Amino acid sequence: MYKLIYIIFLILILNGCGSSSSSASGVADGSGDSGTVHDPYLEVPENSPCKGGEFYRIKTKECRALKHPGWGFAGFEVPSENLFRVAECTQEALEKTLSALPGEGGKVLLPECTFVIDDTIGLYDNVIFEGAGTGKTVITGAPDDILSLRGKNIIVRGMTLDGKGKSLGGIVGTNNKGNILIENVEIKDLRGSGIYLVTAQPQENCNITIRQNSISKTLHGIVVKMLRSAKMLIYSNNLFDNREYGIDMSTTSDIEVSGNYMHDNYYAGAKSPAADAIYYYRNDINYNGKGDDRDNRAGIVYMGTNADAKIYLEENDMRNNNGLAYASWGAHFHYLLLKNNLSDGSYDSNGYNIRATGIDVVDVYGDNGKIWVGEGNQDVIVYH
């Protein structure tokens, strides 16, 4: 059992990506300390044994440094007096509390109970939406999406979102404007995806972090369709038993995926169609591809064409998938790095562990298994 050693509070003012007594009415109780106190950006997530700038690798129980610690959620501030507690476990009390938030936003604390809702809960700018913990604060009952992110500067943490097979999505942001943190949330049993973040217009540096969540029995665990640069961190998530993919990333760039355990997903642990600059580092991607057709199952797949795309795979455990460890299907992109990945037990009908066809340059460090680059294309591989 690891102990939480370091908690580092970093307060940042976002320029854009684009304890107190209860208040059942949803009005701030105003009993905080005098002056302005900020809800801090937790560089170390709650319940993590790791230092700031590190991720926790779930399966191996080790801490490692993030490759891009400056990416992801950038923090924001809310006045200390804007603290709201929802004392009654009803949708009416929850909505009343959110509607009472002033323009500068605030922190909303949810009690340990189950909220049964019949409509999507919308979160707007500068909101910290925090439960008492997974399995303690539960939100269920929505026929459509459970939570909708409709602005910038939003934190969601410490709760369970249970679709019970009826809700569509868990946390959905089709109009989000960036600077999002989702951590320590359990999401399960949905008709659609667990976390679904999309931007309709190209944006730069949206600063999104998704960490330490458990997502299962959804369509895709995490879907990211952020046009242009997301500056995104996805780490230390447990993504399993989803009907298609653990993570689906497309039309986006600058994403680090580290320390996740992606297992027992129907098609693959992760898919990155037409995405650019995805860094997979020290993930455990096992037992994916439950279908019978081994040639169309994999630990990680790349589908689509992007002449500038670069995919980096370093020190991932991609063993024992029902298919290839890594596969590029119908793809053409520029660069693939393979560095000390494990691929035993993941192979196609010809015994290859990795299919890297349609790629201009394949840099290989260490033993990554048997690689297929297409007949007569061995010159694209550079061994180090």
Side-chain angles (χ1 to χ4, degrees), residues 15-69:
N15 291 322
C17 167
S19 72
S20 303
S21 59
S22 297
S23 174
S25 66
V27 178
D29 53 32
S31 59
D33 296 334
S34 60
T36 300
V37 178
H38 306 141
D39 185 272
Y41 158 42
L42 289 177
E43 187 173 309
V44 178
E46 296 175 359
N47 305 319
S48 173
C50 303
K51 303 176 185 178
E54 294 183 340
F55 64 87
Y56 182 66
R57 188 172 180 177
I58 295 173
K59 189 175 179 182
T60 60
K61 298 184 171 123
E62 59 183 335
C63 295
R64 296 288 178 179
L66 289 162
K67 284 190 167 294
H68 303 91

Side-chain angles (χ1 to χ4, degrees), residues 177-198:
K177 298 179 179 125
N179 202 42
I180 306 295
L181 171 63
I182 303 171
E183 67 177 0
N184 296 319
V185 178
E186 178 188 27
I187 306 174
K188 60 184 180 180
D189 205 7
L190 298 166
R191 293 184 291 117
S193 298
I195 297 173
Y196 185 88
L197 301 180
V198 178

Side-chain angles (χ1 to χ4, degrees), residues 21-30 81 83-85 96-97 100-101:
S21 59
S22 297
S23 174
S25 66
V27 178
D29 53 32
E81 62 268 21
L83 174 63
F84 296 74
R85 295 180 185 272
K96 188 173 183 180
T97 302
L101 289 173

Side-chain angles (χ1 to χ4, degrees), residues 273-315:
D276 181 13
I278 308 295
Y279 298 80
Y280 295 94
Y281 180 55
R282 287 184 176 264
N283 299 280
D284 294 280
I285 307 170
N286 317 118
Y287 315 114
N288 301 286
K290 295 182 179 181
D292 295 330
D293 185 357
R294 183 181 293 273
D295 288 347
N296 287 290
R297 306 286 183 260
I300 299 175
V301 295
Y302 187 98
M303 301 175 180
T305 295
N306 180 346
D308 299 321
K310 301 176 182 67
I311 306 296
Y312 304 84
L313 284 83
E314 298 185 57
E315 301 179 40

